[in-house]
Each structure stands twice: as C-alpha cells, then as structure tokens.
Amino acid sequence: MSREGVRSHIAAVANLRFNCPPLCPKIDPMARRMPLQMPVLRLLLLVLAWQLGTAGAHAADVVYPPGSRLGLVPPSSMVTSSNFFGFEDPDTTAAIILASLPTEAYAELDKTISADALKKQGMIFEKREAIPLATGQAFLVIGRQEKLHKWILIGSSPVLTALVTVQIPDAAKSRYPDAAIRGTLATLAIRPTVPVEEQLGLLPFKLADLAGFQVAGIMPGRAVVLSDSTAALASQPPSQILISVAPGGPAEARNREEFARDVFAGVPNVRDVRVTSSEALRIAGQPMHEIMAEAKDPGGSISLKVVQWLRFGGGGYLQLVGIAPTTAWPDAYPRFRAVRDGIEPR
C-alpha cells in the first residue's frame, strides 16, 4: 500500500466515531451516527449517495440486518444485504437502506428537507406527509431520482433518528406498489442494543479473548474498539484497544519500521507523543512490529501510555493500538497482550 493509501486507511479508522475516548469522538457506533456539526443537507446527501412492503406484522417477524439497531419486515422478494445495512432484491436491484442518526437529527431534518433542498441533491420532489409509527413521530418524503422511485422515511425515537430509504427501479414498480412499501415502512422497529456476538461477527477476524474489555464500537469488515467501562472512571479516560485490518504493507522486513511509524502517526486524540521504543517481533511465527510511546490526552492534563502492534501477512496487516492512563498501564498492558494473542483469522 502506498503512503497515501496508508494515510487514507488511518483517516477512515480514526473517524469511526465510536463512543470511546480517547481513541475516538463520542458517538454511538451501532447507530452509525454522523456528527451534527455536519450540514444537515450534506448528511442527507451522504446517505443518498451511499444507496445504490406488510402492515400489522408481529414483532417476531421483524428482521434486523446484522449490526443494525433498525429492522423491519421486508417484502418477501427481498433478502438481507451483505453490502449495506438493509435489504435488496437481487433480481431487480430494488433496495431498502437503513441508517441511524443522532436523536437531534430529526428536528433538523424536519425543518430542512424540502423540494428545493432535494432538488439540489438531484431528486425530484413529489410529496411529503406525516406517517404514524410505533417508534414515534415520523414523516415520509416521496420522489424520483433518474430512473428510480424513492421513499425516504425519517422517524424519531428517544434513542436515535431512523432514516429508511426505499429505492425501486422503474422496471420493478409493479412488483412494489405504493401500498406494499407503506406497509413495510409501518413495521419499522428499533432494538435496544446489538448483541456483542453479532457485532463481532461483522469482523474479518475472531477475538478469542476480550480480556475483560467491552465492545465500544465496530466498523463492519474493518475495525473494532474494546474499552473498559467508564462508569467509575470520571476522572480519567478508560483503557482501550483499537484493532483494525487493511490491505497492503511492506513485503520486505527492512521497510516495516518506517511503515509502522507512518501508521502510528495517525493514532487519534493523543498529543505530545514521545516514542520510547520501536522494534521488530515475531509472535507465534508471524512478523510484527511494536512501538511503545508516552503521550497526553487531548486536553494535555492526563499522562497516557500507548502501544502499537502491526502484524504482517496475507497481503495486508493487522493494527492494534492500546491506550491507557499511565496509572492504569500495569493492569491494561497484559490485557492488551491477551487480546493481541487471541486474534485469529475468520
């Protein structure tokens, strides 16, 4: 992977927006929230760009895509997608995309979504209407975009804002009449949490030992953050470990230290970093590189210790970054190692 590619991967992982300082800004990862300081229309554009019906259903019929807190009863011709949180019809490319936003997003979107706003995103507005949902207040926007019919449902709840987009090609319109789509949207449900095992199943590796840490956030297919509970740690950040995978990495051992330092430079939310050691390792027969460092939290008031391990092989590399307050390091470091040594390919 080129240096630019490394930096791109670092930026992606650094912006996971997990609820897990000091590694990441506060945000609920399984709700796939986006920061509210982002202009609301840009937020909506990102969701639209990412995209490519039975009323009165029982809760047991609701299907939750793996890793999603949102679920619904999909049309019988749709299956759970492996490409996004939602459902798709492989024969017609019709799709239902589920995304969760912060609770505050509902009021903002309620005020800003209009015909003119959607026109700027390339969508022809047809109508907007209130729609009753068991989860809370909601509204539905109907329109067209190129050769697609679109229904955008935005629903409020005490825990998140649901954004559901139904996308039906012209050729499949008879297969998905308006009444069927409305019936499907009426079954929208929100579950309190995503089971830990389900979250971990979204990763390309297995974690044999969580070493007492909890799952704080996941980027499906790429990364996970494990963290101590913050309940009793109001005075200092929790100990945490980020585990991520990326393609590429140097094939020759002589290039690995420079590569490891480039990757380490992207560790987020630490300052005044001072590397104390950098060395090549072999663990269980696999080549690794370890960097140890001292640092401060973003406010500069708490002393931290940081370790990064890179494991090379298979056309890619595994990155592990453990961060803990210096006072918690004697407890955290052996647990970081236990997590590291229990990682297996899936």
Side-chain angles (χ1 to χ4, degrees), residues 200-209 221-222 243-245 283-284 286 311-318 320 339-346:
L200 296 177
L202 301 174
L203 299 171
F205 48 81
K206 298 178 183 177
L207 299 176
D209 188 353
R222 184 178 294 188
I243 308 146
S244 67
V245 293
I283 297 178
Q286 294 184 301
R311 189 167 80 188
F312 302 96
Y317 65 94
L318 178 77
L320 299 93
V339 172
R340 177 198 70 187
D341 296 343
I343 296 176
E344 304 172 358
R346 191 173 291 281

Side-chain angles (χ1 to χ4, degrees), residues 53 75 77-78 89 91-95 126-127 142-151 166-182:
S77 53
M78 287 192 178
D89 180 343
D91 295 329
T92 66
T93 71
E126 293 182 359
K127 62 179 175 177
I142 302 174
R144 292 179 53 81
Q145 190 169 23
E146 296 180 350
K147 296 182 179 181
L148 297 172
H149 295 264
K150 288 194 173 183
W151 290 257
V166 182
Q167 179 171 292
I168 308 295
D170 287 346
K173 188 68 173 67
S174 61
R175 191 172 188 174
Y176 297 97
D178 185 80
I181 291 172
R182 289 174 179 274

Side-chain angles (χ1 to χ4, degrees), residues 54-273:
T54 51
H58 296 293
D61 298 323
V62 171
V63 178
Y64 293 93
S68 174
R69 287 183 65 183
L70 298 179
L72 49 73
V73 180
S76 59
S77 53
M78 287 192 178
V79 297
T80 301
S81 175
S82 59
N83 301 311
F84 52 83
F85 286 165
F87 308 91
E88 57 187 337
D89 180 343
D91 295 329
T92 66
T93 71
I96 300 175
I97 301 97
L98 308 175
S100 300
L101 308 175
T103 53
E104 304 93 328
Y106 182 84
E108 293 292 336
L109 293 171
D110 188 26
K111 289 188 296 184
T112 56
I113 290 183
S114 64
D116 288 341
L118 292 175
K119 183 178 180 180
K120 292 177 182 178
Q121 316 305 332
M123 183 172 169
I124 300 172
F125 175 87
E126 293 182 359
K127 62 179 175 177
R128 170 179 163 162
E129 60 191 75
I131 181 171
L133 289 179
T135 56
Q137 199 173 13
F139 65 92
L140 179 66
V141 175
I142 302 174
R144 292 179 53 81
Q145 190 169 23
E146 296 180 350
K147 296 182 179 181
L148 297 172
H149 295 264
K150 288 194 173 183
W151 290 257
I152 301 174
L153 173 68
I154 298 174
S156 65
S157 81
V159 293
L160 55 81
T161 296
L163 176 58
V164 183
T165 303
V166 182
Q167 179 171 292
I168 308 295
D170 287 346
K173 188 68 173 67
S174 61
R175 191 172 188 174
Y176 297 97
D178 185 80
I181 291 172
R182 289 174 179 274
T184 292
L185 294 175
T187 67
L188 181 68
I190 301 171
R191 56 179 168 174
T193 60
V194 178
V196 170
E197 289 306 315
E198 183 177 318
Q199 295 182 47
L200 296 177
L202 301 174
L203 299 171
F205 48 81
K206 298 178 183 177
L207 299 176
D209 188 353
L210 297 184
F213 292 111
Q214 301 173 354
V215 175
I218 283 180
M219 176 181 282
R222 184 178 294 188
V224 61
V225 169
L226 305 178
S227 177
D228 275 332
S229 170
T230 60
L233 298 173
S235 62
Q236 63 180 17
S239 301
Q240 299 179 318
I241 183 167
L242 163 69
I243 308 146
S244 67
V245 293
E252 297 186 21
R254 61 188 175 88
N255 297 325
R256 288 175 181 158
E257 180 170 7
E258 180 182 4
F259 181 86
R261 286 179 178 269
D262 276 347
V263 175
F264 185 74
V267 173
N269 289 351
V270 292
R271 56 177 282 189
D272 303 334
V273 178

Side-chain angles (χ1 to χ4, degrees), residues 34 42-51 97 99 101 163 165:
M34 303 177 194
R42 182 180 165 214
L43 177 152
L44 184 59
L45 174 61
L46 287 176
V47 176
L48 292 174
W50 175 44
Q51 304 158 358
I97 301 97
L101 308 175
L163 176 58
T165 303

